[in-house]
Amino acid sequence: MKSMLIKNDEEIKKMRKVGKLAAEVLDMIESHIVHNITTEEINQICHNYIIKKQKSIPACLGYNGYPKSICTSVNDVVCHGIPNIKQKLKEGDIINIDVALIHNGYHSDTSKMFILGKPSILSKRLCHVAQESLYLALNLIKPNMPLYEIGQAIEKYVKKQKFSVVKEYCGHGIGKNFHEEPQILHCDNRDPGIILKPGMTFTIEPMINTGSNQVRCMKDGWTIKTKDHGLSAQYEHTILVTDKSCEILTLRKEEKIDQILNINNKNLKYTQ
Ligand code: MF3
Ligand code: CO
Ligand code: CO
């Protein structure tokens, strides 16, 4: 079994703080997601807020050479869309905004979808299924659970909805590093090696497509699109495994914890 980083109380405090800050960026940007705003303008607003208001560092900026402070993935872009001065948001667009921060030496990472104006039935359902797939995974988390059950549950649910799960990109441990062990797959993989333990912090960030799950990287070396140009949606949270379940470190204002986690309705399979 690979050794996983278990965070101590002091580190958990710092993870809570940086998690809350990242969630607040997504809360803040909501009112700016309007017709004709460019993805670069969204990037600028987030960048200034993170640096000046939050006294934090945008973790994406300069990460492996990434040129901007957030990722903006529109319509058929699966992830890592680069904000661009020429890209204006228009009626019916769906956009994922992915924010990662460093504060006091610790990282957080979270994303959500925004829809411009009146969504099509398909794009609304896609965004809903992506969010539900994250929430159902969060509901499963408890100590002593095999890690692979997360991906297994996400893929089973998404397939039932007749959508597909991208396999090339996954969630990740997070802490002092932006990306650390373990990898959190969003599809069925029977790796029995890793067992969840209290104090682990990681992201879950399923990418869900309307068509096939095949993806293609653009010439810029970052932007990942669906091969068939179908729509793609993603939601991401950074979480902490607790003694009984999980704590969502990047919970937003609009998210009510008792609506997300069925606290009274847990099966106790793995609880000692
Ligand atoms: N935020 C992405 C993730 O969820 C990583 C983006 S890396 C970047 O893991 F360099 F593209 F910003
Ligand atoms: Co991530
Ligand atoms: Co992210």
Side-chain angles (χ1 to χ4, degrees), residues 161-187:
Q161 304 299 320
K162 304 276 187 266
F163 292 144
S164 66
V165 179
V166 173
K167 301 213 190 315
E168 284 83 351
Y169 300 90
C170 50
H172 46 92
I174 182 165
K176 274 190 181 146
N177 308 297
F178 190 175
H179 296 100
E180 56 189 42
E181 292 289 332
Q183 288 198 352
I184 314 292
L185 274 69
H186 305 115
C187 53

Short mmCIF file of all heavy atoms in Angstrom, two decimals, residues 161-187:
data_model
loop_
_atom_site.label_atom_id
_atom_site.label_comp_id
_atom_site.label_asym_id
_atom_site.label_seq_id
_atom_site.Cartn_x
_atom_site.Cartn_y
_atom_site.Cartn_z
N GLN A 161 -27.26 7.72 -16.59
CA GLN A 161 -27.82 8.96 -17.14
C GLN A 161 -27.49 9.11 -18.63
O GLN A 161 -27.77 10.16 -19.23
CB GLN A 161 -27.27 10.17 -16.38
CG GLN A 161 -27.49 10.15 -14.88
CD GLN A 161 -28.95 10.12 -14.53
OE1 GLN A 161 -29.77 10.79 -15.15
NE2 GLN A 161 -29.31 9.32 -13.52
N LYS A 162 -26.82 8.11 -19.19
CA LYS A 162 -26.46 8.10 -20.62
C LYS A 162 -25.42 9.17 -20.98
O LYS A 162 -25.38 9.66 -22.10
CB LYS A 162 -27.69 8.24 -21.53
CG LYS A 162 -28.74 7.18 -21.28
CD LYS A 162 -28.41 5.90 -22.07
CE LYS A 162 -29.52 4.87 -21.99
NZ LYS A 162 -29.30 3.89 -20.89
N PHE A 163 -24.61 9.54 -20.02
CA PHE A 163 -23.47 10.41 -20.27
C PHE A 163 -22.19 9.59 -20.05
O PHE A 163 -22.26 8.44 -19.66
CB PHE A 163 -23.49 11.63 -19.34
CG PHE A 163 -24.61 12.61 -19.61
CD1 PHE A 163 -25.24 13.26 -18.56
CD2 PHE A 163 -25.03 12.89 -20.91
CE1 PHE A 163 -26.26 14.18 -18.79
CE2 PHE A 163 -26.06 13.80 -21.16
CZ PHE A 163 -26.68 14.44 -20.09
N SER A 164 -21.02 10.22 -20.31
CA SER A 164 -19.77 9.47 -20.15
C SER A 164 -18.79 10.21 -19.24
O SER A 164 -18.85 11.44 -19.11
CB SER A 164 -19.14 9.20 -21.52
OG SER A 164 -18.72 10.41 -22.12
N VAL A 165 -17.89 9.44 -18.63
CA VAL A 165 -16.90 9.98 -17.68
C VAL A 165 -15.53 10.03 -18.36
O VAL A 165 -15.06 9.01 -18.88
CB VAL A 165 -16.79 9.08 -16.44
CG1 VAL A 165 -15.75 9.63 -15.46
CG2 VAL A 165 -18.13 8.92 -15.75
N VAL A 166 -14.89 11.18 -18.31
CA VAL A 166 -13.53 11.32 -18.87
C VAL A 166 -12.56 10.54 -17.98
O VAL A 166 -12.59 10.68 -16.75
CB VAL A 166 -13.13 12.81 -18.96
CG1 VAL A 166 -11.68 12.97 -19.37
CG2 VAL A 166 -14.06 13.54 -19.92
N LYS A 167 -11.71 9.74 -18.61
CA LYS A 167 -10.83 8.87 -17.82
C LYS A 167 -9.41 9.42 -17.67
O LYS A 167 -8.67 9.00 -16.78
CB LYS A 167 -10.76 7.49 -18.48
CG LYS A 167 -12.10 6.80 -18.60
CD LYS A 167 -11.93 5.30 -18.47
CE LYS A 167 -13.15 4.47 -18.79
NZ LYS A 167 -14.42 4.82 -18.32
N GLU A 168 -9.03 10.34 -18.54
CA GLU A 168 -7.63 10.80 -18.56
C GLU A 168 -7.27 11.73 -17.41
O GLU A 168 -6.09 11.88 -17.09
CB GLU A 168 -7.32 11.53 -19.87
CG GLU A 168 -7.14 10.62 -21.07
CD GLU A 168 -8.45 10.20 -21.71
OE1 GLU A 168 -9.53 10.47 -21.13
OE2 GLU A 168 -8.41 9.59 -22.79
N TYR A 169 -8.24 12.39 -16.81
CA TYR A 169 -7.95 13.36 -15.75
C TYR A 169 -8.68 12.94 -14.48
O TYR A 169 -9.80 12.45 -14.54
CB TYR A 169 -8.36 14.77 -16.19
CG TYR A 169 -7.60 15.16 -17.43
CD1 TYR A 169 -8.10 14.87 -18.69
CD2 TYR A 169 -6.32 15.69 -17.33
CE1 TYR A 169 -7.37 15.14 -19.84
CE2 TYR A 169 -5.58 15.95 -18.47
CZ TYR A 169 -6.10 15.68 -19.72
OH TYR A 169 -5.35 15.92 -20.82
N CYS A 170 -8.00 13.14 -13.36
CA CYS A 170 -8.58 12.63 -12.12
C CYS A 170 -8.39 13.61 -10.98
O CYS A 170 -7.68 14.61 -11.11
CB CYS A 170 -7.97 11.27 -11.80
SG CYS A 170 -6.19 11.27 -11.85
N GLY A 171 -9.05 13.31 -9.86
CA GLY A 171 -8.82 14.08 -8.64
C GLY A 171 -7.46 13.70 -8.05
O GLY A 171 -6.78 12.82 -8.56
N HIS A 172 -7.10 14.38 -6.97
CA HIS A 172 -5.73 14.24 -6.46
C HIS A 172 -5.65 14.63 -5.00
O HIS A 172 -6.41 15.49 -4.54
CB HIS A 172 -4.80 15.16 -7.28
CG HIS A 172 -5.36 16.55 -7.47
ND1 HIS A 172 -5.09 17.57 -6.60
CD2 HIS A 172 -6.23 17.06 -8.38
CE1 HIS A 172 -5.74 18.66 -7.00
NE2 HIS A 172 -6.46 18.38 -8.08
N GLY A 173 -4.69 14.01 -4.30
CA GLY A 173 -4.35 14.50 -2.98
C GLY A 173 -3.90 15.94 -3.09
O GLY A 173 -3.44 16.38 -4.15
N ILE A 174 -4.07 16.70 -2.00
CA ILE A 174 -3.73 18.13 -2.03
C ILE A 174 -3.34 18.56 -0.61
O ILE A 174 -3.88 18.04 0.36
CB ILE A 174 -4.92 18.94 -2.60
CG1 ILE A 174 -4.60 20.43 -2.70
CG2 ILE A 174 -6.21 18.72 -1.79
CD1 ILE A 174 -5.59 21.21 -3.58
N GLY A 175 -2.42 19.49 -0.53
CA GLY A 175 -1.95 19.95 0.79
C GLY A 175 -0.84 20.96 0.58
O GLY A 175 -1.05 22.01 0.00
N LYS A 176 0.36 20.58 1.03
CA LYS A 176 1.52 21.44 0.75
C LYS A 176 1.75 21.49 -0.75
O LYS A 176 2.30 22.45 -1.27
CB LYS A 176 2.77 20.86 1.43
CG LYS A 176 2.91 21.33 2.85
CD LYS A 176 4.25 20.94 3.42
CE LYS A 176 4.35 21.39 4.84
NZ LYS A 176 5.11 20.49 5.69
N ASN A 177 1.38 20.42 -1.44
CA ASN A 177 1.48 20.36 -2.89
C ASN A 177 0.10 20.52 -3.51
O ASN A 177 -0.90 20.10 -2.95
CB ASN A 177 2.04 19.01 -3.34
CG ASN A 177 3.33 18.69 -2.62
OD1 ASN A 177 4.32 19.39 -2.77
ND2 ASN A 177 3.30 17.65 -1.80
N PHE A 178 0.11 21.12 -4.73
CA PHE A 178 -1.13 21.26 -5.50
C PHE A 178 -1.66 19.86 -5.85
O PHE A 178 -2.83 19.55 -5.64
CB PHE A 178 -0.80 22.07 -6.77
CG PHE A 178 -1.94 22.53 -7.60
CD1 PHE A 178 -1.69 23.36 -8.71
CD2 PHE A 178 -3.26 22.19 -7.32
CE1 PHE A 178 -2.73 23.81 -9.50
CE2 PHE A 178 -4.30 22.64 -8.12
CZ PHE A 178 -4.03 23.45 -9.21
N HIS A 179 -0.78 19.03 -6.38
CA HIS A 179 -1.16 17.66 -6.74
C HIS A 179 -0.25 16.68 -6.03
O HIS A 179 0.95 16.71 -6.22
CB HIS A 179 -1.07 17.46 -8.26
CG HIS A 179 -2.03 18.31 -9.04
ND1 HIS A 179 -1.66 19.47 -9.66
CD2 HIS A 179 -3.36 18.17 -9.27
CE1 HIS A 179 -2.72 20.01 -10.26
NE2 HIS A 179 -3.77 19.25 -10.03
N GLU A 180 -0.82 15.84 -5.17
CA GLU A 180 -0.04 14.82 -4.48
C GLU A 180 -0.81 13.51 -4.47
O GLU A 180 -1.94 13.43 -4.99
CB GLU A 180 0.37 15.29 -3.07
CG GLU A 180 -0.77 15.70 -2.15
CD GLU A 180 -0.32 16.35 -0.83
OE1 GLU A 180 0.60 17.18 -0.81
OE2 GLU A 180 -0.95 16.03 0.20
N GLU A 181 -0.21 12.46 -3.92
CA GLU A 181 -0.89 11.17 -3.82
C GLU A 181 -2.10 11.30 -2.90
O GLU A 181 -2.08 12.08 -1.98
CB GLU A 181 0.07 10.11 -3.25
CG GLU A 181 1.21 9.74 -4.16
CD GLU A 181 0.76 8.93 -5.37
OE1 GLU A 181 -0.26 8.22 -5.25
OE2 GLU A 181 1.40 9.03 -6.41
N PRO A 182 -3.16 10.55 -3.10
CA PRO A 182 -3.36 9.58 -4.18
C PRO A 182 -4.06 10.21 -5.38
O PRO A 182 -4.55 11.33 -5.29
CB PRO A 182 -4.32 8.58 -3.51
CG PRO A 182 -5.17 9.42 -2.61
CD PRO A 182 -4.28 10.55 -2.14
N GLN A 183 -4.08 9.51 -6.51
CA GLN A 183 -4.94 9.90 -7.63
C GLN A 183 -6.35 9.40 -7.33
O GLN A 183 -6.52 8.28 -6.85
CB GLN A 183 -4.45 9.22 -8.91
CG GLN A 183 -3.16 9.79 -9.43
CD GLN A 183 -2.91 9.43 -10.89
OE1 GLN A 183 -3.63 8.64 -11.48
NE2 GLN A 183 -1.90 10.02 -11.46
N ILE A 184 -7.33 10.24 -7.64
CA ILE A 184 -8.72 9.85 -7.39
C ILE A 184 -9.40 9.67 -8.75
O ILE A 184 -9.78 10.65 -9.40
CB ILE A 184 -9.48 10.95 -6.59
CG1 ILE A 184 -8.66 11.45 -5.40
CG2 ILE A 184 -10.87 10.46 -6.19
CD1 ILE A 184 -8.44 10.48 -4.29
N LEU A 185 -9.53 8.43 -9.18
CA LEU A 185 -10.16 8.19 -10.48
C LEU A 185 -11.67 8.34 -10.37
O LEU A 185 -12.25 8.10 -9.31
CB LEU A 185 -9.79 6.79 -11.00
CG LEU A 185 -8.45 6.76 -11.76
CD1 LEU A 185 -7.27 6.99 -10.85
CD2 LEU A 185 -8.31 5.47 -12.53
N HIS A 186 -12.28 8.76 -11.50
CA HIS A 186 -13.73 8.95 -11.50
C HIS A 186 -14.43 7.82 -12.25
O HIS A 186 -15.58 7.94 -12.63
CB HIS A 186 -14.09 10.29 -12.13
CG HIS A 186 -13.39 11.45 -11.48
ND1 HIS A 186 -12.47 12.24 -12.13
CD2 HIS A 186 -13.46 11.93 -10.22
CE1 HIS A 186 -12.01 13.16 -11.30
NE2 HIS A 186 -12.59 12.99 -10.14
N CYS A 187 -13.68 6.74 -12.48
CA CYS A 187 -14.28 5.59 -13.16
C CYS A 187 -13.91 4.33 -12.37
O CYS A 187 -13.09 4.37 -11.46
CB CYS A 187 -13.79 5.51 -14.59
SG CYS A 187 -12.01 5.54 -14.72
#
